Amino acid sequence: MLPVQRQPEVTDDDVTAWALGAASGDADAFGHVFRALHRDVRRYVTALADDSQLADDLVQETFLRAITSVHHFQGRGSARSWLLTIARRTVVDSLRRAASRPRLADTSDWQYAAERSQPRGLPGFDEGVALMALVDSLPDDRREAFVLTQLLDMPYDDAARTNACPVGTIRSRVSRARTTLCALLEEGAEPVPAR
């Protein structure tokens, strides 16, 4: 049986030196950084995300972000803190994306379930219902552009790609939707669905 050779302990200074090497173009240096910090990044990401299945994807994304931005690393701090900062941002971005996505309901009538779950008697509730009725009264193309850009906060160019039309068309539809909504609010008229 061969004796097991102990690997020398890797210090933060070693990892930082490798990261600086990677920043200056050493092709093998980032591999050393990866091997030295992979376990720490995985542990940190798993703790932050509180989801061990998602952790593997987040660790991979962390290292992808790190390798594409290593040329900016200047060694002002340790490479460990630099990489864990990237890991934290990766997890936060993932949590934000997950929070902005609609959740699946275990019901066939999702609209009824959503209406039932809304609190009643709160200030602004009735105004919110009235506003959505006004939005529903917009023509389909204007309503879609308005909802994508104003309610879902999608950039205009993404909304244009979603609708397969020019950005100017989206801007025009949103502008017209705003004008229509303002006119309806000023009139105090009951919205009539455009369908």
Side-chain angles (χ1 to χ4, degrees), residues 116-187:
R116 267 193 16 194
S117 69
Q118 296 298 317
R120 303 275 182 204
L122 294 176
F125 178 77
D126 293 330
E127 291 84 1
V129 171
L131 179 61
M132 286 315 297
L134 291 174
V135 170
D136 284 344
S137 72
L138 293 170
D140 289 343
D141 59 343
R142 293 180 191 173
R143 182 179 58 254
E144 184 177 9
F146 184 83
V147 168
L148 286 173
T149 60
Q150 306 306 300
L151 300 180
L152 300 179
D153 202 28
M154 182 182 279
Y156 281 82
D157 56 341
D158 290 347
R161 277 193 292 279
T162 301
N163 284 295
C165 66
V167 175
T169 301
I170 293 295
R171 292 185 190 283
S172 173
R173 289 174 182 172
V174 170
S175 176
R176 288 181 179 148
R178 286 180 182 155
T179 302
T180 302
L181 290 173
C182 287
L184 287 172
L185 284 172
E186 287 176 6
E187 292 173 9

Side-chain angles (χ1 to χ4, degrees), residues 100-112:
S100 69
R101 289 192 178 122
R103 293 185 179 41
L104 298 178
D106 212 10
T107 180
S108 58
D109 188 1
W110 63 269
Q111 190 167 7
Y112 175 72

Side-chain angles (χ1 to χ4, degrees), residues 1-156:
M1 184 177 283
L2 295 173
V4 177
Q5 291 182 346
R6 291 191 70 193
Q7 295 294 330
E9 180 110 3
V10 175
T11 66
D12 276 349
D13 290 338
D14 294 332
V15 178
T16 300
W18 289 327
L20 286 169
S24 63
D26 182 351
D28 297 327
F30 197 82
H32 294 296
V33 173
F34 176 83
R35 285 187 288 284
L37 297 180
H38 184 269
R39 183 181 307 157
D40 291 343
V41 170
R42 174 112 176 50
R43 194 174 307 138
Y44 185 61
V45 164
T46 303
L48 288 179
D50 199 27
D51 182 349
S52 60
Q53 292 180 338
L54 180 61
D56 289 332
D57 292 337
L58 294 174
V59 169
Q60 184 176 6
E61 186 175 341
T62 297
F63 280 102
L64 285 172
R65 287 182 180 191
I67 202 164
T68 58
S69 65
V70 71
H71 62 279
H72 294 295
F73 182 71
Q74 297 177 349
R76 293 185 184 141
S78 73
R80 181 182 311 272
S81 65
W82 169 73
L83 196 54
L84 292 178
T85 300
I86 293 172
R88 182 180 183 283
R89 287 186 192 135
T90 302
V91 171
V92 168
D93 290 347
S94 172
L95 293 173
R96 285 181 182 151
R97 279 191 306 271
S100 69
R101 289 192 178 122
R103 293 185 179 41
L104 298 178
D106 212 10
T107 180
S108 58
D109 188 1
W110 63 269
Q111 190 167 7
Y112 175 72
E115 288 171 358
R116 267 193 16 194
S117 69
Q118 296 298 317
R120 303 275 182 204
L122 294 176
F125 178 77
D126 293 330
E127 291 84 1
V129 171
L131 179 61
M132 286 315 297
L134 291 174
V135 170
D136 284 344
S137 72
L138 293 170
D140 289 343
D141 59 343
R142 293 180 191 173
R143 182 179 58 254
E144 184 177 9
F146 184 83
V147 168
L148 286 173
T149 60
Q150 306 306 300
L151 300 180
L152 300 179
D153 202 28
M154 182 182 279
Y156 281 82

